[in-house]
Amino acid sequence: MTCDHMENIYGYLMKYTNLVTGWQYRFFVLNNDAGLLEYFVNEQSRHLKPRGTLQLAGAVISPSDEDSHTFTVNAASGEQYKLRATDAKERQHWVSRLQICTQHHTEAIGKNNPPLKSRSFSLASQGSANSPGVQRRPSQNAVSFFNVGHHRLPTGKRVPIMQPDHLVDVREMMSQAEGQQRDLIRSIECLPVSGHLTSLDQDLLMLKATSMATMNCLNDCFHILQLQHASQQKGSLPAATTISWLEPKISLANHFKNGAAQNFPAEINKPASVREEQSTAEPCQLTREPEEINPDEELEDICDNKEDDLGAVEEQRSVILHLLSQLKLGMDLTRVVLPTFILEKRSLLEMYADFMSHPDLFIAITNGTTPEERMIRFVEYYLTSFHEGRKGAIAKKPYNPIIGETFHCSWRMPKSNVAADTGSNFSTHSPSEQVTLSKDTEGQTELDYYTVKFVAEQVSHHPPVSGFYAECVERKMCVNAHVWTKSKFLGMSIGVTMIGEGLLSLLEHGEEYTFSLPCAYARSILTVPWVELGGKVNINCVKTGYSASINFHTKPFYGGKLHRVTGEVKQNITNTVVCRVQGEWNSVLEFTYSNGETKYVDLTKLSVTRKRVRPLEKQGPFESRKLWQHVTESLRDGDIDKATEHKRALEERQRNEERLRAETETPWCTKYFLKEGDGWVYHKPLWKTVSAAQTQQMDIN
C-alpha cells in the first residue's frame, strides 16, 4: 500500500466477488478529497473508468471477526465490499484511513445540512393508566399529543450543536411517550373480547401496531443521536462502531392471538398423524446415500394447489396486526415463526422446480449457433421463469424446508417442439409475434423426447440454504445453484434477498454462465398482499465475453408501472449492446436486436409443461410432498388450526434433532450436495460424468 502527496492511498487488496469466483486481487484507490473508494482490475488500468466506486459519507468500516486480515466497507446506499489485506498491519492501516475519510465527509454533510433545531415537542398529559377505557376528548388528537411547532430561524444565525441537557430533555419526553404507549396497549388489551368495543377491533389493533412501531423507530433515532453526540465529544466514532437495529422485546412465537399465548392441545388429543410426525426416526438413522430416481416411476403431476383469494387474509387480519406490533423495521425474519394461513401449499424446494416450467426454452439455449445467440436465449429463458415460479396473485409464502428435505421431479419435452421453438423464436422477429407452444407428450416414444431431471435439497438450517440442480443429459447441459433466503421486515411489506449464485454449463460449447437472482417483496401485507421483484442481476460468460445486466424495477411511490424489467446483452470486449429487453416479467417482454428487429414474448400465453413427480406412496419420508402432506391437506381443507399443529410438530422435531446433534457433536451429512468453498455443488454433476466418460473413451482408443 502506498500514500501519495495528497494523502490518497492505493494498493492491492483481495475483494470477495461472488460465491463462484471467490476472492480476486483488485487495485484500490482511496480518494480522500472526493470521499470515494474506487477499485480497478489492476494498477495498469488505473487511468480507465473504475470497475466499482463506493461513496464513503455515512459508511461503516468494520474489521471482521473471522480473521485478522478481512474487513468490510458498508456504504450508506446498502452496497458492501468485503476486502482482505495481506496481514493485520495492512488491514489496520486501511481501516484507519477509511474511517478518517468517512468521518470527515459524514461531518461535512451534517454541516451542510443542519437539523431543524427550532422544532418544539411537548407531550400533552393523558389520562391515568387506571382509566377503565380509552375516552378521547374532541381536542385530543395527534397534533395535541405530539405538539410540533415550526419556527423560522433568524437569518444568519448558526444552528448550535446539541448540548447534553437537550438529550436529557429528549430522553425525558421519550420516557413519557413510552409510558403513555404502554398505557394505551394495556387499555386496549383490557377491553372485553365481545361487545360494542372489543380488544379485537380492527382500528384499535392498527393503533396498537403502529404505536409500537413508532416507539421502536423513535428509540432507534434517539440511539443514533447519542452516538452522534458521543462522536462530537470525542472527535471520532470508536473503531468498528455500527448502528444496528434493536432486538424485539417480546417473544414472537407465542403472541399470535391478540397478545395471548397460543395454546396447543395436550399430546393425547393430537391427531395420530401429528404424533407420527414427532416420532419419526432421526435423520442419522435414515440412509444419507444418494438415491437414483428412475424417471419412469414419475407421473405427470395432476396436483393443482390453487391459492385462496383475499378472504383468508381478511379473516386473519387481527393476527397479522398483532404480529406487526412485535416487529421492528429491518428485523431479520429468519427465526420468526409466521402464522400458518399465509403459507402456500408447496415447499420452497418445489417452488425452485417451478422456475423450470419452460424446459423447451431451457434446452433451446444450447441450440444457439453463436455465443451471442446462446446468451440471448439464456436471458429469454431466465426472464420467462419467474412468472410460473410465483403461484397466484396473492403473496403467500412457501414452506420453509426442513434440513435434509429433498424434492425430485422431471420434465419430458418432445424433440419436435424444441426444434419448432428454434425456428419460431429466433428466425423471425416480427412485432406481432406471440410465443405459444404445445406441450402434448402423449404417445411419444422414448427416443422422441428430451428429459430434464431436477433435484433440490435443504443443505443448511441456520442460515437457510437450498441447493438445486437440473440436467438434460442428451443435450449435455446442466445448471447448479444454491440460495440463501434472507427475509426482513420493511414496515407494510416484507423483503426477501436471494443470496447466492447459479452456474449454467453448456458442455457441447465448453461455456459456463454465472447468474444471480433478484430480491422479492411482499407488498400491502395488511390489505391485498402482492409480490414484486426488485434489484439488479448479472449474467456472465467469461469464455465468450458476453454478459447481460437485468434490472427488476420496484414500483415508485407515485405513478410508474408494476413488475417492470429492463436489460441489455453486451459484448464486453467491444462494449457493444447486441440486444435490449423491456416489459413486465409476468406479462409481455419486448426484445430488440442490434439489427433493428423486434420480438415480443407474451408470458400469459406461454404454455407450461407439467412436471413429473413420483406418487406419494413411492416417496421417501424426507421428500417435500411426503414430508408436508398433512399440512397441505389441512390447508386444502381450510383447517388452519390443524395445519398449524402439523407444521409445529415438524418444526419441533427439527429443533430436537438439531439439539441432539449439538450435544453429541454430530455434524449434519447432506445427501446430494457437497460444500465447495462458500458454495454447494451437486455430488454428480454432468460436467464430471461427461469428463470421466471422455477420459475413459480416450483410454480405450
Side-chain angles (χ1 to χ4, degrees):
M1 179 174 54
T2 311
C3 299
D4 60 25
H5 66 283
M6 297 187 67
E7 292 301 319
N8 293 337
I9 65 172
Y10 50 88
Y12 281 96
L13 292 168
M14 291 189 75
K15 178 179 180 291
Y16 186 74
T17 305
N18 52 54
L19 288 169
V20 176
T21 310
W23 294 90
Q24 291 185 326
Y25 272 107
R26 293 291 180 256
F27 187 78
F28 282 81
V29 176
L30 172 59
N31 188 332
N32 275 294
D33 292 337
L36 298 175
L37 178 63
E38 304 169 328
Y39 78 89
F40 306 82
V41 174
N42 49 45
E43 187 173 5
Q44 290 71 31
S45 61
R46 184 177 176 181
H47 64 284
L48 301 176
K49 182 180 178 182
R51 290 291 297 271
T53 303
L54 277 189
Q55 290 277 356
L56 292 176
V60 176
I61 318 299
S62 303
S64 174
D65 293 331
E66 60 189 62
D67 58 46
S68 60
H69 300 175
T70 307
F71 63 99
T72 57
V73 182
N74 301 277
S77 63
E79 192 171 1
Q80 180 191 78
Y81 286 177
K82 187 175 181 180
L83 307 173
R84 181 177 290 167
T86 56
D87 53 39
K89 182 178 179 181
E90 185 182 26
R91 180 182 81 166
Q92 184 56 45
H93 193 55
W94 271 103
V95 168
S96 299
R97 293 285 182 171
L98 287 167
Q99 286 178 341
I100 291 170
C101 182
T102 297
Q103 181 191 340
H104 172 74
H105 287 277
T106 304
E107 290 176 351
I109 290 178
K111 291 176 182 176
N112 294 331
N113 301 277
L116 293 175
K117 307 301 293 182
S118 56
R119 294 189 180 186
S120 62
F121 299 84
S122 65
L123 297 174
S125 59
Q126 303 297 306
S128 168
N130 298 323
S131 301
V134 179
Q135 298 179 350
R136 182 180 295 172
R137 297 187 296 273
S139 62
Q140 199 173 352
N141 52 30
V143 175
S144 63
F145 187 77
F146 286 100
N147 188 15
V148 182
H150 296 269
H151 308 284
R152 186 181 299 275
L153 283 173
T155 305
K157 275 200 173 184
R158 187 179 176 184
V159 178
I161 295 176
M162 179 173 284
Q163 299 299 320
D165 57 334
H166 292 168
L167 283 179
V168 173
D169 293 342
V170 173
R171 177 69 267 176
E172 184 179 347
M173 288 187 285
M174 287 282 294
S175 298
Q176 293 179 39
E178 287 171 349
Q180 292 164 346
Q181 194 264 344
R182 284 194 297 270
D183 291 344
L184 173 66
I185 299 299
R186 191 179 298 113
S187 298
I188 293 174
E189 292 182 346
C190 286
L191 290 172
V193 294
S194 61
H196 177 66
L197 185 63
T198 73
S199 57
L200 297 177
D201 181 84
Q202 298 292 301
D203 291 334
L204 292 181
L205 286 170
M206 175 66 82
L207 178 61
K208 180 179 172 183
T210 53
S211 66
M212 176 73 79
T214 301
M215 289 310 305
N216 285 335
C217 289
L218 287 174
N219 273 310
D220 288 336
C221 292
F222 181 68
H223 179 56
I224 292 172
L225 283 177
Q226 288 177 312
L227 288 175
Q228 192 178 49
H229 176 69
S231 68
Q232 291 170 349
Q233 294 292 102
K234 297 179 182 179
S236 66
L237 285 172
T241 296
T242 58
I243 299 173
S244 59
W245 297 104
L246 305 178
E247 291 300 316
K249 301 176 180 65
I250 303 174
S251 173
L252 299 176
N254 299 322
H255 286 78
F256 288 148
K257 302 283 187 178
N258 192 40
Q262 189 171 4
N263 296 317
F264 291 91
E267 179 76 24
I268 194 170
N269 294 325
K270 289 182 180 178
S273 55
V274 174
R275 297 197 297 271
E276 176 188 341
E277 286 166 7
Q278 290 182 327
S279 62
T280 300
E282 299 285 333
C284 57
Q285 296 172 332
L286 299 172
T287 174
R288 302 304 302 164
E289 290 298 319
E291 179 185 4
E292 291 294 334
I293 304 297
N294 184 359
D296 292 335
E297 293 183 353
E298 296 176 329
L299 305 176
E300 186 171 294
D301 188 20
I302 59 173
C303 181
D304 189 13
N305 288 323
K306 291 185 178 180
E307 296 305 325
D308 300 328
D309 58 13
L310 179 61
V313 179
E314 283 293 343
E315 292 167 8
Q316 304 289 339
R317 193 162 182 255
S318 61
V319 179
I320 297 180
L321 283 169
H322 186 76
L323 179 64
L324 293 182
S325 72
Q326 316 299 321
L327 302 179
K328 286 182 60 63
L329 289 174
M331 179 179 170
D332 187 354
L333 300 181
T334 303
R335 296 175 183 266
V336 175
V337 180
L338 298 176
T340 306
F341 72 88
I342 70 170
L343 297 178
E344 57 178 283
K345 296 180 278 291
R346 62 174 174 171
S347 171
L348 180 65
L349 300 185
E350 184 170 353
M351 188 191 81
Y352 290 141
D354 289 333
F355 286 145
M356 300 285 296
S357 294
H358 302 303
D360 51 325
L361 297 181
F362 175 70
I363 297 170
I365 296 171
T366 196
N367 285 348
T369 56
T370 65
E372 176 182 321
E373 191 173 332
R374 289 191 290 274
M375 174 60 81
I376 293 174
R377 289 182 179 214
F378 183 29
V379 170
E380 177 175 356
Y381 162 72
Y382 182 90
L383 290 174
T384 58
S385 63
F386 297 101
H387 175 53
E388 183 58 23
R390 290 303 319 161
K391 295 281 190 182
I394 301 296
K396 289 197 171 186
K397 181 182 179 300
Y399 309 141
N400 284 334
I402 302 297
I403 187 170
E405 177 182 336
T406 62
F407 182 79
H408 303 266
C409 68
S410 65
W411 296 264
R412 286 182 177 176
M413 176 53 51
K415 295 180 179 180
S416 57
N417 282 14
V418 176
D421 175 55
T422 301
S424 64
N425 269 2
F426 291 96
S427 299
T428 306
H429 305 297
S430 64
S432 60
E433 179 183 357
Q434 307 291 346
V435 180
T436 307
L437 302 173
S438 172
K439 303 294 187 300
D440 184 15
T441 62
E442 292 298 324
Q444 299 290 329
T445 63
E446 183 179 355
L447 298 177
D448 290 339
Y449 56 78
Y450 295 118
T451 298
V452 177
K453 294 193 292 184
F454 177 93
V455 58
E457 180 181 7
Q458 190 69 6
V459 296
S460 172
H461 180 47
H462 290 304
V465 180
S466 308
F468 61 90
Y469 173 84
E471 67 178 19
C472 179
V473 176
E474 299 95 325
R475 297 317 315 271
K476 296 181 181 178
M477 60 187 302
C478 61
V479 60
N480 186 97
H482 52 276
V483 181
W484 169 17
T485 52
K486 190 172 184 180
S487 54
K488 283 191 175 182
F489 177 61
L490 304 175
M492 290 298 107
S493 63
I494 293 174
V496 181
T497 304
M498 312 288 275
I499 303 171
E501 276 193 332
L503 180 70
L504 170 69
S505 298
L506 304 182
L507 302 179
E508 287 184 346
H509 306 285
E511 296 171 358
E512 292 184 339
Y513 298 75
T514 59
F515 61 93
S516 52
L517 296 171
C519 299
Y521 300 92
R523 306 295 194 190
S524 305
I525 55 181
L526 275 180
T527 53
V528 184
W530 54 278
V531 172
E532 72 170 341
L533 302 179
K536 180 179 179 180
V537 299
N538 295 293
I539 302 172
N540 188 51
C541 179
V542 174
K543 178 181 177 179
T544 64
Y546 281 91
S547 65
S549 176
I550 302 171
N551 278 293
F552 292 85
H553 302 271
T554 55
K555 186 182 181 300
F557 191 75
Y558 292 106
K561 289 184 177 180
L562 288 173
H563 312 305
R564 194 165 68 90
V565 62
T566 59
E568 61 181 26
V569 178
K570 182 187 294 186
Q571 219 302 325
N572 298 329
I573 299 174
T574 61
N575 204 32
T576 304
V577 176
V578 297
C579 176
R580 284 189 168 87
V581 60
Q582 62 178 349
E584 291 82 45
W585 58 266
N586 61 352
S587 182
V588 178
L589 295 170
E590 176 187 338
F591 292 82
T592 304
Y593 303 89
S594 55
N595 60 5
E597 294 181 345
T598 302
K599 181 186 67 174
Y600 293 82
V601 179
D602 188 345
L603 301 178
T604 63
K605 296 182 179 180
L606 201 63
S607 298
V608 172
T609 302
R610 284 187 175 272
K611 57 182 177 285
R612 300 171 63 85
V613 185
R614 288 195 301 178
L616 277 179
E617 59 270 17
K618 291 190 176 183
Q619 292 185 17
F622 274 79
E623 291 189 54
S624 295
R625 290 193 176 181
K626 184 84 167 185
L627 187 70
W628 294 95
Q629 64 172 325
H630 300 305
V631 178
T632 302
E633 290 168 0
S634 300
L635 288 174
R636 194 180 291 124
D637 295 339
D639 193 336
I640 301 300
D641 291 337
K642 191 174 180 181
T644 300
E645 282 195 42
H646 290 304
K647 174 175 172 286
R648 180 173 175 269
L650 288 173
E651 292 167 342
E652 186 63 30
R653 187 184 72 186
Q654 179 175 226
R655 282 189 288 268
N656 291 337
E657 293 170 352
E658 188 175 18
R659 193 180 305 117
L660 178 62
R661 288 194 300 273
E663 291 172 354
T664 59
E665 298 183 349
T666 304
W668 174 259
C669 297
T670 53
K671 191 169 187 177
Y672 294 101
F673 289 81
L674 305 174
K675 190 168 179 60
E676 291 190 6
D678 292 326
W680 293 86
V681 178
Y682 185 60
H683 75 108
K684 197 168 64 175
L686 197 57
W687 66 78
K688 287 185 179 179
T689 56
V690 169
S691 177
Q694 290 174 345
T695 302
Q696 185 178 8
Q697 186 65 35
M698 290 175 62
D699 292 341
I700 294 174
N701 295 335

